[in-house]
Amino acid sequence: MKISKKQATNGVIHILLWVAVFLFPFLFKPQDVTFSTHQLIGIYLNLIFTLIVFYVSYSLIIPVFFYRKKITLTILLVIVASFAGSLMLGKAKETVHAHYYQNTSQLPFQELRGRRMMANRSLFHPQRPFFDAFFFYLLVSGAALSIRATQKWIHEEHDRKALEADKASLELAWLKNQVSPHFFFNTLNNIYSLIESNPEFAQQAVHMLSKLMRYLLYESNAPAISLSKEVVFIENYIGLMKLKLSDK
C-alpha cells in the first residue's frame, strides 16, 4: 500500500512526540535526583500502557465506531479499553515489584505477598492506583478523540473547499462555452459591417478579437494569470464593445 506524503508526515510527528514523552523524565528531572532501575521500570510501564490505550482508541475504536456515528458503542469500548489498561498496568507493576523486592531483599517476600492479597481484596477501593490510571486513560482516550475529530474536520473542510473550487471552475467553463460563441459571432457581424465603411478599424477589430479569443481558449485555464494579460484582455474587450456601440 502506497503511503501518502501527508500520512508519512503524520507518522513522523507521532514518533517525535512520543520520543519527547519518553525522554521527559530525563529532560526535566532535578540534577540531584537519580532514578533507580525499579523507578525507571515503573515510569516506562506507565508510558507504554498510555501509548497502548491511546492508539487502541486513536487507530481502532474511533475510526471504526465513532466515524460511523456509533457513539454509545464508542464510549463503552473506550471505558473497556481504559479498564483493561489499568488492570494490566497494575498486574505488570505488581510483577515487577515482587521480582524487585524478592531479589533485593528490601522487603520480606511474605510481607509483600500479604500486601498483594490485601490489595486484591480491595481492588476497587477509591484510593487504589487503579482508579488513578483508569481516569487518566479516559483522559488519554478523550485526547485521542479530540485529535481525530479535529483531523476529520480539517479533512472535510479541505474537501469542501476543493469541491467548491471545482464547482466554480466548471461553472466558469460552462459560462465561457455559452458566452464565447454568442459574443464571437456578434463581433464578427459588427466587423463585417465595418469592412466597407472603415476597413482600417475593422482590421484592428479583427486583431483584438483574435487576441481575446486566444486568451479565452488557451490562457484563461492556467492556474495563475499575470495581471498584464488580464489588463490586455479587458482593453480588447472594451474596444470590441465600443465597436458594437458605434455600430448602433
Side-chain angles (χ1 to χ4, degrees):
M1 187 177 76
K2 188 176 180 180
I3 299 176
S4 65
K5 184 178 179 180
K6 183 179 179 181
Q7 289 174 325
T9 303
N10 194 34
V12 171
I13 292 173
H14 278 250
I15 291 172
L16 292 176
L17 285 175
W18 283 109
V19 168
V21 169
F22 273 75
L23 291 177
F24 185 85
F26 295 100
L27 295 176
F28 296 96
K29 74 178 182 64
Q31 293 182 353
D32 58 340
V33 174
T34 56
F35 293 123
S36 66
T37 303
H38 175 246
Q39 288 174 323
L40 284 176
I41 292 174
I43 290 171
Y44 284 112
L45 277 175
N46 286 327
L47 292 175
I48 288 169
F49 279 97
T50 299
L51 186 147
I52 292 171
V53 171
F54 177 86
Y55 281 106
V56 166
S57 298
Y58 181 88
S59 302
L60 180 63
I61 297 175
I62 297 170
V64 175
F65 300 101
F66 180 76
Y67 284 178
R68 297 178 181 176
K69 310 298 183 183
K70 298 180 179 179
I71 308 300
T72 304
L73 186 57
T74 300
I75 295 172
L76 179 62
L77 289 175
V78 164
I79 293 173
V80 170
S82 301
F83 185 89
S86 303
L87 280 180
M88 289 188 291
L89 176 63
K91 292 297 181 183
K93 282 188 173 182
E94 286 181 3
T95 302
V96 170
H97 289 182
H99 179 77
Y100 177 78
Y101 287 124
Q102 187 177 16
N103 290 341
T104 59
S105 300
Q106 294 185 23
L107 188 68
F109 183 67
Q110 293 298 328
E111 183 181 345
L112 176 66
R113 184 179 179 184
R115 291 187 179 184
R116 289 179 59 192
M117 290 177 64
M118 291 297 295
N120 288 335
R121 291 175 185 174
S122 59
L123 179 63
F124 299 105
H125 192 278
Q127 294 181 351
R128 278 186 56 85
F130 169 85
F131 277 92
D132 293 338
F134 176 70
F135 288 115
F136 176 72
Y137 289 155
L138 287 179
L139 291 176
V140 168
S141 299
L145 176 60
S146 299
I147 293 171
R148 274 293 195 180
T150 302
Q151 289 176 338
K152 189 172 187 292
W153 178 82
I154 292 173
H155 180 71
E156 290 177 349
E157 190 69 11
H158 179 269
D159 289 346
R160 185 184 64 80
K161 290 181 179 179
L163 287 174
E164 288 179 354
D166 291 341
K167 181 181 178 181
S169 179
L170 290 172
E171 289 177 349
L172 181 61
W174 180 84
L175 185 61
K176 286 178 179 179
N177 290 333
Q178 296 297 317
V179 173
S180 296
H182 177 76
F183 176 79
F184 179 72
F185 288 116
N186 280 348
T187 305
L188 281 180
N189 288 331
N190 294 332
I191 293 173
Y192 177 77
S193 64
L194 283 174
I195 290 177
E196 293 185 0
S197 60
N198 194 345
E200 183 177 352
F201 187 62
Q203 186 178 4
Q204 293 178 1
V206 170
H207 182 64
M208 286 190 291
L209 179 62
S210 65
K211 291 173 67 176
L212 189 144
M213 296 304 296
R214 184 182 298 111
Y215 175 88
L216 286 174
L217 293 175
Y218 302 111
E219 297 176 358
S220 63
N221 294 323
I225 303 171
S226 64
L227 182 60
S228 59
K229 290 183 178 180
E230 292 279 359
V231 171
V232 171
F233 171 79
I234 294 172
E235 289 176 346
N236 290 329
Y237 181 80
I238 292 174
L240 291 174
M241 291 304 294
K242 288 180 177 179
L243 171 66
K244 181 179 179 180
L245 292 174
S246 63
D247 181 64
K248 289 183 178 181

